Amino acid sequence: MPTTETALASAEAHSAHNYHPLPVVVASADGAWMTDVEGRRYLDMLAGYSALNFGHGNRRLIDAAKAQLERVTLTSRAFHHDRFADFCAGLADLCGMEMVLPMNTGAEAVETAVKTARKWGYRVKGVPDGMAKIIVAAGNFHGRTTTIVSFSTDSEARADFGPYTPGFEIVPYGDLTALGEAMTENTVAVLMEPIQGEAGVLVPPPGYLAGVREMTRERNVLFIADEIQSGLGRTGRTFACEHEGVVPDMYVLGKALGGGVVPVSAVVSSAAVLGVFRAGEHGSTFGGNPLACAVALEVIAMLRTGEFQQRATELGDHLHHELGLLAGGGPVTAVRGRGLWAGVDIAPALGTGREISEKLMDRGVLVKDTHGSTIRIAPPLVITKEDLDWGLDQLRGVLRG
Ligand SMILES: *Cc1c(COP(=O)(O)O)cnc(C)c1O
């Protein structure tokens, strides 16, 4: 087994520097805890950006994966397999929708949503060929493909990756007037995160999502909710849209759908929308494979009980209460979020988000900074209240200096 030092040096030399990870080398993990190659333990307060909502090594998910590994792992979509129909029907039902188009990563699902909206625009709405427009929000994060970074407002994500894909319009997040003004008869979709994760866990103003819903319905425009990070229990509901009583035309799902075991993503919508696809028009070799479906079926069954959503609500209330005590003139300048998910702005005098994250690491807590002096807290939903309190103690310790 490598030591921390040799692993870091080798990664520095042989892996592209497209990430700046904290200098911890994880060797194993269980529940909300990770252990590094030196045997040190860390509380995971990031949960793989919500890909690990059900914790590391979740017994039900590992057992489902192991059982499927012994039967069949890949068929390609050239053939049916015996987990596929159950997965699609189960996920559609969980979402209150009719049809599923499975992919692997989040970015692929967003690409699929973009292609679906455009095809729907031409075939159903009657938009003139090549004229379809999709409206997105400033500060968005929808993935890393060339088309998706084309409508990012983050210069790091975009710079030197042009030429950019046309057909997107960017409006300020939370501004209904701007959205109304940006819509034309060629608008086919509004694509948004109901809570912006990478932007720092930004919750839009009350009524915004409901307003987007109303406006898109009136103008025959699809409302596509990217719930890849916000969905599947994180905010205390199955979908963050539910907090405003909003049902979009399409959910884009990923991250936790694969249970932290395999990449599984999907677009979920009505038959009227996903029905636009004909054979050969879109696909993926690995999308909807037996192993992915077996794990995701278990994820769906776990979400059906509501227990994870309830945990996220209860622990989230506690988390936000405790963080609120640090805010307001203290070391924390703002706290945002919903459920077991928080963006915490640290007073710049106390250090950058990166520096705070490194200090927390030294105390055995792993989080991730975003945008300067914000840290993001999103532990697995299986974390115990005692562990959460211990993690918050470490945060208070770091902020005291
Ligand atoms: C992570 C994320 C994506 C991209 O998912 P990948 O699996 O990394 O491609 C897209 N949208 C949102 C909201 C995300 O958080």
Side-chain angles (χ1 to χ4, degrees), residues 105-108 110 141-144 193 198 226 228-229 255:
T105 65
E108 284 177 307
V110 172
F141 182 85
H142 297 289
R144 300 289 197 174
E193 301 154 86
E198 298 300 308
D226 179 347
I228 290 171
Q229 195 166 158
K255 294 204 166 100

Side-chain angles (χ1 to χ4, degrees), residues 21-378:
L22 289 170
V24 55
V25 183
V26 175
S28 63
D30 182 31
W33 290 88
M34 298 204 272
T35 305
D36 76 2
V37 290
E38 321 283 348
R40 282 181 296 248
R41 293 182 82 225
Y42 300 87
L43 185 63
D44 182 1
M45 298 266 268
L46 179 66
Y49 304 93
S50 286
L52 286 154
N53 277 1
F54 310 100
H56 296 272
N58 184 289
R59 214 53 258 168
R60 283 184 68 169
L61 298 173
I62 298 295
D63 286 346
K66 276 187 176 165
Q68 191 61 42
L69 277 171
E70 300 291 342
R71 294 210 298 122
V72 56
T73 52
L74 191 65
T75 55
S76 86
R77 293 287 308 281
F79 317 115
H80 287 273
H81 63 77
D82 64 5
R83 314 310 297 269
F84 185 74
D86 284 349
F87 162 70
C88 293
L91 184 59
D93 186 60
L94 183 77
C95 296
M97 300 267 177
E98 293 165 328
M99 273 188 185
V100 169
L101 200 168
M103 298 295 282
N104 309 282
T105 65
E108 284 177 307
V110 172
E111 286 276 349
T112 301
V114 167
K115 289 173 77 174
T116 308
R118 285 179 172 182
K119 201 168 271 292
W120 175 86
Y122 300 128
R123 290 205 179 150
V124 179
K125 183 167 173 170
V127 171
D129 190 38
M131 300 291 281
K133 277 264 194 310
I134 294 174
I135 300 177
V136 299
N140 71 72
F141 182 85
H142 297 289
R144 300 289 197 174
T145 66
T146 42
T147 285
I148 293 172
V149 300
S150 295
F151 56 84
S152 168
T153 55
D154 177 350
S155 56
E156 270 183 342
R158 251 178 84 87
D160 300 332
F161 294 127
Y164 301 110
T165 308
F168 299 93
E169 200 80 51
I170 301 171
V171 297
Y173 191 54
D175 183 343
L176 279 176
T177 311
L179 178 64
E181 284 168 1
M183 279 188 187
T184 71
E185 63 274 29
N186 292 335
T187 305
V188 294
V190 172
L191 165 64
M192 274 178 198
E193 301 154 86
I195 294 177
Q196 288 190 327
E198 298 300 308
V201 197
L202 294 190
V203 182
Y208 180 64
L209 296 176
V212 174
R213 174 67 286 185
E214 202 176 292
M215 241 178 221
T216 46
R217 187 178 284 126
E218 270 169 12
R219 310 261 200 126
N220 194 23
V221 167
L222 301 179
F223 180 12
I224 303 174
D226 179 347
E227 293 248 22
I228 290 171
Q229 195 166 158
S230 58
L232 308 185
R234 174 58 55 189
T235 67
R237 303 283 173 86
T238 307
F239 302 105
C241 282
E242 290 175 51
H243 292 282
E244 285 216 25
V246 162
V247 178
D249 297 295
M250 184 188 295
Y251 289 113
V252 187
L253 303 175
K255 294 204 166 100
L257 189 57
V261 180
V262 281
V264 186
S265 68
V267 161
V268 190
S269 187
S270 62
V273 172
L274 272 177
V276 297
F277 282 112
R278 294 176 204 145
E281 292 178 343
H282 186 56
S284 159
T285 304
F286 289 93
N289 69 73
L291 182 59
C293 289
V295 173
L297 269 167
E298 205 61 31
V299 166
I300 293 162
M302 287 159 71
L303 286 168
R304 280 209 182 289
T305 67
E307 69 186 280
F308 293 94
Q309 294 88 327
Q310 197 185 335
R311 275 193 85 76
T313 298
E314 287 168 14
L315 292 173
D317 285 349
H318 181 62
L319 171 73
H320 283 282
H321 173 76
E322 294 296 315
L323 290 173
L325 298 177
L326 293 171
V332 165
T333 56
V335 180
R336 296 168 300 274
R338 232 172 207 155
L340 203 49
W341 197 19
V344 182
D345 294 347
I346 309 291
L350 291 172
T352 62
R354 173 76 187 188
E355 287 161 347
I356 300 291
S357 302
E358 286 172 356
K359 287 180 184 165
L360 278 167
M361 188 190 101
D362 291 339
R363 287 171 167 264
V365 173
L366 297 177
V367 297
K368 178 72 174 77
D369 57 298
T370 180
H371 292 105
S373 55
T374 301
I375 56 168
R376 178 170 20 182
I377 297 181

